[in-house]
Amino acid sequence: MSRLPEYLRALHALAETGHETVSSEGLASAVGVNSAKLRKDLSHLGSYGTRGVGYDVALLIDQIESVLGLTQCRAVALVGVGNLGHALAGYDGFASRGFRIAALLDADPSRVGERINGLVVRHVDELSRVVAEETISIGVIATPAPAAQAVADELVAVGVTSILNFAPCVLSVPEGVDVRKVDLAIELQILSFHEHRKASLTALPATGGSALTALPGGLATTDTQEAIGT
Amino acid sequence: MSRLPEYLRALHALAETGHETVSSEGLASAVGVNSAKLRKDLSHLGSYGTRGVGYDVALLIDQIESVLGLTQCRAVALVGVGNLGHALAGYDGFASRGFRIAALLDADPSRVGERINGLVVRHVDELSRVVAEETISIGVIATPAPAAQAVADELVAVGVTSILNFAPCVLSVPEGVDVRKVDLAIELQILSFHEHRKASLTALPATGGSALTALPGGLATTDTQEAIGT
DNA sequence: AGGCGCTTGTGAAGAGGTGCACAAATCGCG
DNA sequence: CGCGATTTGTGCACCTCTTCACAAGCGCCT
Ligand SMILES: NC(=O)c1ccc[n+]([C@@H]2O[C@H](COP(=O)([O-])OP(=O)(O)OC[C@H]3O[C@@H](n4cnc5c(N)ncnc54)[C@H](O)[C@@H]3O)[C@@H](O)[C@H]2O)c1
Ligand SMILES: NC(=O)c1ccc[n+]([C@@H]2O[C@H](COP(=O)([O-])OP(=O)(O)OC[C@H]3O[C@@H](n4cnc5c(N)ncnc54)[C@H](O)[C@@H]3O)[C@@H](O)[C@H]2O)c1
């Protein structure tokens, strides 16, 4: 389930504020989901709640981390240390979430050798050597779109089976390889769509505007978080 | 539909390579979705295809952009010009997708005045003035998590009704305000989950591992793109 | 020990998305 | 002009995800 990481984040926050147990209601409202859904999700990984009491925060964290395979730190290789790659390499928030940036790779010779956050940028040709040194389990692509497919192919070739892609393009990968993409422009466009719909609804409350703006309520934009709390 | 932006991106790519029309099959495979689903999506915004021929690329681009409200460039305000904010501010890929970064805001006085990509960083207190100058339709939060809620409140207070949040936390906003979040650690954790599942499946092909790893096939991790093409 | 309030876990109903398969429509060509 | 090839648009069945509602279980208080 893709919601498990969100539960995990909320649980860590609760643990830090001293809570030892949470009710499904409490955790659900912290994450912004229905409490029944949360209970059903949690029940899929076994029964770790106590009726009448709730869930043991620490125990649940362990359980979720175990299911997510975060029991030990996972090493990720970052390919493309440009604008965005620099930000990612300099980000210290991954460590606490179970990840360690183990290698920085770039094709630009003038970038190779640069030191960022204690890591030296290496040439992308060294990829196979890097993978041999470290047990890389995830590759992150932060190169321009035209180079992304080639980089993905290289990652797959050296045995990486999970890729996070920031380039705005679709990657072709063999079966068994997982790709997730983050495209900020798409996020903005989805917001733009809602903005557009809100605007035309207030402008023409009765008649309705174009075909789509007249559609019922909230359509289906994945992962939105609309109107939580006050 | 959250797939519309993806279609749009693929259509732009097709337009650049000279295609004047596309069949649903062609476009679907470029995006990595079922062709029937694509046709159904497209039929929701009216009939703009010609049977026996396909869809007119240019016309379809116009239609989708119109539905998404991208007919004119939308102005976005970026709050938090740190590590990640710099990368976003320096990114030139938004313009071609319908967005213009119109303002950079930060709370740190030592950052105020800095010039990035032709824009001057202004103090976050000037937010209301900035919104008055420009018609800001989207706010982007790239501050540390503890500051994110306060920034969101300020954005809402000055009339912003769409927010893209990079801070790893849940935002509370009043009804009518849309929030989308991008949490890279969550993306990595979802990949980690699949990685973990793949590992335990190959290790114990018959017995199956823990409760969850024994679940059927592909679970439900939103937005994955698994094994497309070869 | 017994009862009471609270919370989990889950069956069942509902809603929505997905994909197949096919009729309707259009184009090109003989 | 008619026919076949091609492709759209969609009815229908299926399936997953969501949500409600409630029984079962647990702890605490009397
Ligand atoms: N910067 C952002 O805020 C932002 C936002 C959204 C999307 N993106 C996307 O992220 C990607 C990177 O953006 P950026 O702004 O960092 O671009 P950039 O041009 O600053 O950096 C790209 C880096 O990739 C390296 N590179 C190019 N080809 C390579 C190859 N074959 N192997 C290894 N490295 C290679 C380049 O040397 C460069 O250092 C782009 O696809 C962009 O569309 C960036
Ligand atoms: N850098 C990354 O690659 C990365 C990756 C994933 C998530 N994030 C998240 O993005 C956010 C920003 O990350 P970062 O690395 O850029 O952090 P950063 O510390 O480098 O930058 C944060 C910026 O926000 C400013 N700020 C703080 N409080 C503010 C306020 N109230 N109003 C306006 N500005 C304020 C700070 O002055 C600073 O310039 C964080 O929440 C982080 O968790 C970053």
Side-chain angles (χ1 to χ4, degrees):
Chain A
M1 306 278 170
S2 59
R3 284 185 296 269
L4 251 36
E6 308 195 32
Y7 301 160
L8 185 59
R9 195 180 63 190
L11 284 166
H12 274 297
L14 286 168
E16 274 172 24
T17 56
H19 296 70
E20 297 199 348
T21 62
V22 228
S23 68
S24 63
E25 199 75 43
L27 182 55
S29 73
V31 180
V33 301
N34 186 302
S35 69
K37 176 156 53 175
L38 184 140
R39 284 199 298 277
K40 190 150 290 191
D41 287 347
L42 259 41
S43 74
H44 283 316
L45 38 114
S47 291
Y48 296 100
T50 311
R51 302 180 182 215
V53 177
Y55 297 90
D56 182 296
V57 173
L59 180 61
L60 198 49
I61 287 178
D62 282 351
Q63 275 303 320
I64 293 182
E65 288 188 345
S66 154
V67 168
L68 292 179
L70 298 173
T71 42
Q72 78 246 12
C73 212
R74 283 187 180 269
V76 327
L78 173 61
V79 185
V81 192
N83 221 340
L84 180 61
H86 261 91
L88 295 172
Y91 183 51
D92 59 355
F94 289 134
S96 61
R97 313 279 289 275
F99 299 94
R100 182 174 57 90
I101 297 186
L104 304 176
L105 301 155
D106 203 297
D108 186 347
S110 67
R111 285 204 188 277
V112 173
E114 189 179 346
R115 175 178 295 270
I116 302 171
N117 229 11
L119 265 163
V120 178
V121 177
R122 302 169 69 172
H123 194 274
V124 72
D125 290 345
E126 294 191 63
L127 185 58
S128 62
R129 209 169 314 156
V130 168
V131 171
E133 293 166 13
E134 307 256 7
T135 312
I136 302 291
S137 63
I138 296 177
V140 175
I141 298 179
T143 67
Q149 181 62 58
V151 170
D153 292 344
E154 291 174 45
L155 284 170
V156 170
V158 299
V160 173
T161 54
S162 291
I163 295 176
L164 180 57
N165 177 32
F166 285 92
C169 63
V170 183
L171 296 181
S172 296
V173 295
E175 192 170 353
V177 176
D178 288 302
V179 175
R180 292 189 67 83
K181 64 179 178 311
V182 175
D183 188 330
L184 307 182
I186 285 186
E187 301 300 322
L188 290 177
Q189 287 176 351
I190 293 173
L191 285 173
S192 170
F193 167 63
H194 283 116
E195 199 69 16
H196 184 55
R197 210 162 56 82
K198 279 183 281 192
S200 36
L201 281 181
T202 54
L204 322 162
T207 62
S210 73
L212 245 198
T213 58
L215 283 180
L219 286 200
T221 44
T222 323
D223 247 351
T224 320
Q225 167 206 329
E226 190 165 356
I228 285 176
T230 45
Chain B
M1 306 283 173
S2 58
R3 284 186 296 268
L4 252 35
E6 309 195 32
Y7 301 159
L8 186 59
R9 197 180 61 189
L11 284 166
H12 274 297
L14 285 169
E16 274 171 25
T17 55
H19 295 71
E20 296 200 347
T21 61
V22 228
S23 69
S24 62
E25 200 74 42
L27 182 55
S29 72
V31 180
V33 301
N34 185 300
S35 66
K37 176 155 54 177
L38 184 139
R39 284 199 299 275
K40 192 155 290 187
D41 287 346
L42 259 39
S43 74
H44 283 317
L45 38 113
S47 292
Y48 295 101
T50 310
R51 302 183 182 209
V53 177
Y55 297 90
D56 182 296
V57 173
L59 181 62
L60 198 49
I61 287 178
D62 282 351
Q63 275 303 319
I64 293 182
E65 288 189 344
S66 153
V67 168
L68 293 179
L70 298 173
T71 43
Q72 79 246 11
C73 211
R74 285 188 179 269
V76 328
L78 173 60
V79 185
V81 191
N83 222 339
L84 180 61
H86 261 92
L88 294 173
Y91 182 52
D92 59 355
F94 290 134
S96 62
R97 312 278 291 272
F99 300 94
R100 182 173 58 89
I101 297 186
L104 304 176
L105 301 155
D106 203 297
D108 186 348
S110 68
R111 284 202 188 278
V112 174
E114 188 179 345
R115 177 178 292 269
I116 302 172
N117 227 10
L119 266 163
V120 177
V121 178
R122 303 170 68 171
H123 194 275
V124 72
D125 290 345
E126 293 191 65
L127 185 59
S128 61
R129 209 170 315 156
V130 168
V131 172
E133 292 167 14
E134 306 255 7
T135 312
I136 302 290
S137 63
I138 297 176
V140 175
I141 299 180
T143 67
Q149 182 62 57
V151 171
D153 292 343
E154 291 174 46
L155 283 170
V156 170
V158 299
V160 173
T161 53
S162 291
I163 295 176
L164 181 56
N165 178 31
F166 285 91
C169 63
V170 182
L171 296 180
S172 295
V173 295
E175 192 170 356
V177 176
D178 288 303
V179 175
R180 291 188 69 84
K181 64 180 179 312
V182 175
D183 188 329
L184 307 182
I186 284 186
E187 301 300 323
L188 289 177
Q189 287 176 351
I190 293 174
L191 285 174
S192 170
F193 167 64
H194 282 117
E195 199 68 18
H196 184 54
R197 209 162 57 83
K198 278 183 283 191
S200 39
L201 281 182
T202 55
L204 322 160
T207 62
S210 73
L212 245 199
T213 59
L215 283 180
L219 286 200
T221 45
T222 323
D223 246 350
T224 320
Q225 166 206 327
E226 189 165 354
I228 285 176
T230 46

